[in-house]
Amino acid sequence: MPLLAVDLTRESRGHTHFIRCCVVLIAFSILFSATQGKDIKVGGNAGWAHTASYTDLEAVVGDRLVFEWDGDSQNVVALRKRNCALTGVELATSAGSPAYVSLNYTGTYFFSSSLAGHCPSGQLFAVSVTPINETAGDVTKDQQEQRNNDFQDLIRNGSGYCDAPVQDAADSGLLTAHCYSPPMQLKPGQVEDALYFLPNPFPENKLVGVTKQTLAIVDDTNRSVPLSELYLHHLFGPSDLVTGEGAEFRGYHDAPPLPHPYYTVVNGSHFTSEMSRMVNIHVINTLGVAPGQVQKCIECWCSDERHRLKGENGGGGCCSSALCPSAEPSSTVNTYHLQFSVTYRLLDPSQPVLPVVSYMLDGANGTIEYDIVKQSGQDISTLSLSGPLDARCPQSSSFGLLRCLGHQHIGGRCMRLINQDTGELLCESCPSYGKADRNVPGDEEGYLVKMSEAVRETPLHIQPGTNVTIESDYDASVDHFGVMALLFLDLVDFDESCPGPVTASTGSAFGPDYTHQQGTAFGFYADGFAPDADQELQSEPGATLGVEETVDPASSSISGATAATIVLGGTVAIFGAAGVAALVLRKLRQPQYEPL
């Protein structure tokens, strides 16, 4: 006897209508009692309305949320986090009330309305769902051991190796170490999202200045592997050791190194322990995957209702080999390695050096991934996020911007960093797409193969607390799920002790919850990784975000729960006057893109 795993239904005039045909049938292996919960009316007597205020709720598995409204046009969307800026998954439409959402999975879920102005006015809440007979935060010893085992299962054995450093022919003081990760073994159609220990490319007990880092994917014969065979979804780790990138990793082999006297200063002894060299590598073997299935495979489209309740149409949490059926023999096992090269100079203590600090900004406000939903009559979807540039690590004196580099997925058009106070374009990073055969490494047709770097000959001085806007453009003619909008900045005269006053509230990607960690471009949550995939590290209920989240002022329609109102204080006139001209320039600069 099948059960409904998620009951996204409306009851109207005695009939039951399924919302968006999203019903999942599962076997009767789950206890029937798990579905016999209580109904929780959202908003109480006020119902579901943008004029009401909402508090967070607690529920147990099997409970059901009831959304009721009277006359006013409404809908219900699930969001990835407590945020009004990102596209949500629509669970119920405005054509009738009440709407029901069954809570058949543990976790924390966020709900709002995607209608303009509703979410910012307070129509947003979270519900924490715990197992039956288990209170929130009650974790048994067995459960904790299972979580630890799940983490251990992600770690792959080995630490790879490095060849002996090679001297530069033109500058004998420069050394380049070529290193290889432990083997990554994948069958055709297999997804691997795991933790690896990389080797240490630096001499121990030596201070070095890194000028350049490059990446490649090779097989056991050292053959360069095309993205159409093994797709690098992302790589995250200590920026001193390896750059955090994705499919565009080959685009920087010819990029010039940092000019003297700018260096990323590294103490080789920092990477003597394995844990200091742990990185997350997410790769997908697409050999034998049908062309029409490749996009869903590498964007990791979600197909289950649990992720839809979490507001996810796609992304790393949904990556599965089931999305990548391959016609190749299942007995085939391919072995690959991440090859990373580091160019550095041994530093003399008396040598003048200007240290460069890696700093990351997330246009998705700490969510890392977000969704682009196809918009009728709209070619480009622009995500915009504003806040103090140094809020994650407040400064007390001016610092310099030397270089910036964006990270987007297929469908990306451009990223920009704008001085919100003056309207000045601080930097722009745009993708290039391959034009050759899909088996040509570095120029695979239809794949994003490079992001342009914005490099300044002399650093641009920025004052503490300078407000900036991150903008990320994506193609909106088709769906693109689980995309990213990251900006990696190289900063100078930047004090990593963060001596300045806090300028953004908690819960913001610019703010303290998404903290800057010394030696990494990737900001981790202040409390570390959640021990359970169901646990969310979010701002306190009702907390005011320290950012303004907007869409392109030239856009007439928006996606999901993105607010249409621009609240940029004194810069409204600047953006209003420059909006049309800026949009025309963007269209002229947009890279040529054809969907896979």
Side-chain angles (χ1 to χ4, degrees):
M1 175 179 176
L3 294 176
L4 293 181
V6 176
D7 178 23
L8 306 180
T9 64
R10 286 185 284 108
E11 294 180 3
S12 176
R13 299 181 182 179
H15 298 283
T16 299
H17 303 276
F18 292 99
I19 303 303
R20 300 182 66 176
C21 301
C22 293
V23 178
V24 177
L25 298 180
I26 61 176
F28 190 56
S29 58
I30 298 178
L31 293 176
F32 183 74
S33 60
T35 65
Q36 303 304 297
K38 64 180 180 180
D39 283 352
I40 302 173
K41 185 177 179 181
V42 176
N45 293 332
W48 187 235
H50 71 281
T51 55
S53 59
Y54 296 87
T55 57
D56 290 347
L57 303 174
E58 293 184 356
V60 298
V61 171
D63 286 349
R64 189 169 66 164
L65 298 179
V66 182
F67 296 85
E68 294 182 351
W69 57 88
D70 184 18
D72 189 21
S73 179
Q74 280 294 348
N75 68 3
V76 180
V77 294
L79 304 177
R80 290 177 181 258
K81 61 178 291 186
R82 192 191 302 275
N83 186 294
C84 294
L86 304 182
T87 302
V89 175
E90 188 175 272
L91 302 181
T93 65
S94 59
S97 168
Y100 298 85
V101 176
S102 293
L103 304 172
N104 290 341
Y105 303 97
T106 59
T108 301
Y109 304 98
F110 303 91
F111 299 95
S112 183
S113 166
S114 67
L115 301 183
H118 285 205
C119 184
S121 70
Q123 195 174 359
L124 169 67
F125 73 97
V127 57
S128 297
V129 184
T130 57
I132 297 175
N133 298 325
E134 181 182 326
T135 59
D138 181 18
V139 179
T140 67
K141 181 179 179 181
D142 290 343
Q143 288 172 322
Q144 187 61 54
E145 289 178 353
Q146 180 60 47
R147 292 172 182 176
N148 293 337
N149 291 336
D150 290 343
F151 178 78
Q152 292 296 327
D153 288 343
L154 294 175
I155 299 177
R156 299 296 179 257
N157 294 327
S159 59
Y161 65 94
C162 292
D163 294 332
V166 178
Q167 284 186 336
D168 186 87
D171 184 347
S172 61
L174 282 178
L175 302 172
T176 298
H178 300 288
C179 304
Y180 297 83
S181 73
M184 300 181 290
Q185 296 182 319
L186 293 91
K187 296 180 179 180
Q190 183 178 342
V191 175
E192 177 82 334
D193 189 359
L195 300 171
Y196 293 84
F197 297 120
L198 298 185
N200 183 5
F202 305 115
E204 293 186 20
N205 301 315
K206 297 288 186 180
L207 202 64
V208 303
V210 177
T211 64
K212 187 173 180 177
Q213 298 165 299
T214 61
L215 299 174
I217 296 289
V218 298
D219 65 10
D220 265 354
T221 67
N222 215 33
R223 172 183 66 96
S224 187
V225 178
L227 292 170
S228 57
E229 178 178 338
L230 190 73
Y231 184 78
L232 179 60
H233 185 277
H234 69 256
L235 166 69
F236 285 138
S239 63
D240 296 353
L241 181 68
V242 63
T243 53
E245 294 180 293
E248 73 278 13
F249 62 93
R250 285 193 187 92
Y252 314 110
H253 285 208
D254 298 328
L258 287 172
H260 179 75
Y262 300 109
Y263 297 95
T264 300
V265 179
V266 179
N267 186 330
S269 298
H270 176 72
F271 291 112
T272 54
S273 69
E274 277 192 333
M275 290 303 293
S276 67
R277 294 180 271 110
M278 187 171 69
V279 300
N280 171 218
I281 305 177
H282 184 175
V283 289
I284 304 170
N285 187 333
T286 59
L287 284 173
V289 177
Q293 187 67 23
V294 170
Q295 182 187 355
K296 294 181 180 180
C297 170
I298 63 179
E299 289 186 355
C300 306
W301 286 24
C302 299
S303 58
D304 64 289
E305 293 302 332
R306 180 177 186 176
H307 283 94
R308 289 179 58 79
L309 273 181
K310 296 181 77 68
E312 300 171 357
N313 284 304
C318 290
C319 266
S320 165
S321 299
L323 288 169
C324 310
S326 174
E328 294 285 321
S330 59
S331 58
T332 303
V333 178
N334 306 103
T335 300
Y336 305 101
H337 299 268
L338 173 75
Q339 181 194 66
F340 67 102
S341 301
V342 181
T343 300
Y344 61 88
R345 185 187 302 276
L346 294 176
L347 297 180
D348 186 321
S350 62
Q351 187 176 6
V353 168
L354 293 177
V356 172
V357 174
S358 297
Y359 197 77
M360 191 199 80
L361 295 175
D362 177 21
N365 199 17
T367 304
I368 303 297
E369 296 176 319
Y370 67 106
D371 300 323
I372 303 296
V373 178
K374 179 181 178 180
Q375 297 292 299
S376 177
Q378 184 176 341
D379 294 332
I380 299 174
S381 173
T382 299
L383 180 68
S384 182
L385 179 72
S386 298
L389 175 59
D390 62 336
R392 190 150 33 90
C393 185
Q395 300 296 291
S396 57
S397 59
S398 65
F399 54 96
L401 172 62
L402 183 66
R403 179 168 61 179
C404 86
L405 175 68
H407 171 67
Q408 292 183 309
H409 289 191
I410 292 176
R413 295 296 185 91
C414 270
M415 291 195 67
R416 291 170 297 278
L417 184 66
I418 300 167
N419 186 323
Q420 183 184 330
D421 299 325
T422 66
E424 177 188 4
L425 179 65
L426 301 179
C427 67
E428 182 176 58
S429 180
C430 298
S432 297
Y433 288 88
K435 299 179 180 178
D437 186 274
R438 291 193 176 184
N439 294 318
V440 177
D443 199 19
E444 300 93 330
E445 182 183 12
Y447 286 86
L448 192 156
V449 295
K450 182 179 181 179
M451 293 289 295
S452 63
E453 287 185 295
V455 184
R456 292 181 174 271
E457 293 184 3
T458 57
L460 175 67
H461 287 284
I462 297 175
Q463 296 300 317
T466 296
N467 292 304
V468 296
T469 298
I470 308 169
E471 291 184 349
S472 175
D473 292 343
Y474 267 88
D475 163 59
S477 64
V478 296
D479 292 333
H480 290 288
F481 297 151
V483 303
M484 296 185 185
L486 306 179
L487 271 178
F488 296 94
L489 309 180
D490 281 346
L491 305 177
V492 297
D493 297 323
F494 191 85
D495 189 342
E496 292 189 89
S497 69
C498 311
V502 174
T503 55
S505 62
T506 186
S508 162
F510 287 96
D513 271 3
Y514 200 64
T515 60
H516 171 74
Q517 298 292 324
Q518 294 190 26
T520 176
F522 192 84
F524 295 101
Y525 283 100
D527 294 333
F529 289 111
D532 185 355
D534 294 334
Q535 180 179 344
E536 299 288 346
L537 297 174
Q538 304 292 348
S539 57
E540 292 299 317
T544 302
L545 297 180
V547 294
E548 304 290 353
E549 294 125 350
T550 71
V551 294
D552 191 320
S555 300
S556 58
S557 59
I558 58 175
S559 175
T562 307
T565 305
I566 298 178
V567 186
L568 294 179
T571 64
V572 172
I574 294 175
F575 278 85
V580 175
L583 183 62
V584 172
L585 289 174
R586 283 178 210 160
K587 286 184 176 294
L588 292 175
R589 287 198 301 258
Q590 298 299 344
Q592 297 299 313
Y593 161 75
E594 293 293 337
L596 280 175

